[in-house]
Amino acid sequence: MKPVILVTRKLPDAVEERLKRDYEPRLNPDDRLYTKDEIIERAEGADAILPCHTEAMTADVIGRLPDSIRAIANFSVGYDHVDLEAAKARGIIVTNTPEVLSDATAELTILLMLGAARRAGEGERLVRAGEWKDWSPSFMVGTQMTGKRLGIIGLGRVGRVTAQRARGFDMEIHYHDLNRLPAEAEAGAIFHQTVEDLLPHCDFLAIHCVASPQTRGLLDAERIALLPEGAIVVNAARGVIVDDEALIQALKSGRVKAAGIDAYNNEPNIHPGYKDLPNAFLMPHIGSATAETRDAMGFRALDNLDAIFAGREPKDRVA
Ligand code: DGY
């Protein structure tokens, strides 16, 4: 008998084909967002769940899952939506999909930096609304990215690819991470022991750390005040790392010149304050949304399930 897998969202065709070949999947062809109760009901008799970050696998949900569930194989690198302690307590293995989305997310980060710096959202809205009247030396003047300092909070896989791409813009890379990285991984990036040490060096700040109790609200008003006047902030990681009120206030005052955002608190119902700000370049959480990457994420989640059901240790076990 093939293991039964509850798949919470519509996955790429090639991934669903492999699922059907090797497992008995319970698919979601309409891509409907399941409620917590529906997840629990649909998990009845299943051997594993393949969720996305859109499914909050809280202690309550995990506590109510049937005993048959052996694994939660996430279709995401982030796993802040899963209560790892609750999973461990029930002996449920949890995996994620690292590495395969680093290029796509770094590309999106560069888009956020350029979009914010060069006022791409404003420009697009203007052209579409038929309100573009003229060219002038003072029209739509933005900030140049080339040669500026980029500070990265979290020089992990995505952060390192972002740094590599940013070097193509002759940017000087600064970073903060829990520990200094080996020289090969740093590739010349300048380490700062604390976030506070890093911030004054950031003409551009890119957030690439994980969401955790330690990083919740990390970019708050006090830390924003440490950025150079007119810095540009981008976030393609998780919304909870940013204090929305503080960032919105800084964007209003111009203390932060522009922001590029792909990850928000309370998605998709984002803080309404962002929507009125012309200097906020807003994307709808599409960091990993390329056909290549979405296939790779699905295959990686399946590799993890294959290992689990073959009695091997999955490559990407996080709990
Ligand atoms: C991830 O993989 O964590 C992305 O944010 C999509 O869920």
Side-chain angles (χ1 to χ4, degrees), residues 51-305:
C52 295
H53 80 270
T54 45
E55 282 70 57
M57 304 300 288
T58 57
D60 167 52
V61 172
I62 291 175
R64 291 161 62 205
L65 288 175
D67 290 340
S68 56
I69 295 296
R70 288 176 54 190
I72 297 174
N74 290 292
F75 182 95
S76 64
V77 67
Y79 46 86
D80 49 303
H81 59 289
V82 183
D83 190 314
L84 298 186
E85 291 312 313
K88 277 187 213 160
R90 291 211 55 194
I92 296 174
I93 296 172
V94 183
T95 59
N96 71 339
T97 59
E99 293 159 6
V100 291
L101 43 61
S102 305
D103 286 335
T105 309
E107 270 181 17
L108 197 277
T109 304
I110 298 291
L111 173 68
L112 294 177
M113 289 164 67
L114 285 169
R118 299 303 300 272
R119 306 171 61 178
E122 270 179 272
E124 234 243 347
R125 286 190 292 276
L126 199 80
V127 174
R128 284 184 187 279
E131 285 168 9
W132 175 30
K133 303 285 181 242
D134 192 11
W135 184 95
S136 104
S138 57
F139 175 63
M140 287 275 313
V141 175
T143 301
Q144 193 143 313
M145 199 161 104
T146 302
K148 296 282 166 58
R149 297 169 299 175
L150 167 63
I152 300 179
I153 301 180
L155 202 66
R157 299 178 194 90
V158 180
R160 290 203 289 275
V161 182
T162 297
Q164 200 180 335
R165 304 290 177 263
R167 286 187 193 100
F169 288 88
D170 298 331
M171 298 189 88
E172 181 180 281
I173 313 299
H174 295 248
Y175 78 101
H176 164 73
D177 210 314
L178 293 180
N179 296 302
R180 184 167 178 178
L181 273 70
E184 197 189 314
E186 275 186 343
I190 300 158
F191 176 66
H192 297 269
Q193 195 78 44
T194 64
V195 176
E196 287 75 9
D197 290 342
L198 168 72
L199 293 172
H201 302 276
C202 303
D203 301 316
F204 285 73
L205 173 70
I207 297 171
H208 284 307
C209 55
V210 295
S212 69
Q214 291 72 37
T215 60
R216 179 176 280 274
L218 180 136
L219 194 66
D220 58 10
E222 274 175 38
R223 293 204 175 96
I224 287 173
L226 298 174
L227 286 164
E229 185 77 32
I232 288 175
V233 172
V234 306
N235 183 11
R238 284 291 186 266
V240 293
I241 301 163
V242 173
D243 176 337
D244 286 332
E245 294 289 348
L247 182 57
I248 288 166
Q249 193 45 49
L251 284 163
K252 271 188 187 156
S253 70
R255 182 71 184 68
V256 167
K257 190 158 202 170
I261 311 176
D262 186 53
Y264 307 81
N265 283 294
N266 199 29
E267 295 175 10
N269 303 311
I270 69 169
H271 192 303
Y274 285 119
K275 297 184 191 165
D276 300 328
L277 290 171
N279 51 350
F281 178 64
L282 307 176
M283 289 286 117
H285 201 141
I286 54 164
S288 63
T290 66
E292 297 86 343
T293 290
R294 289 287 159 87
D295 278 354
M297 289 168 74
F299 295 145
R300 187 84 173 219
L302 291 184
D303 290 346
N304 286 319
L305 284 176

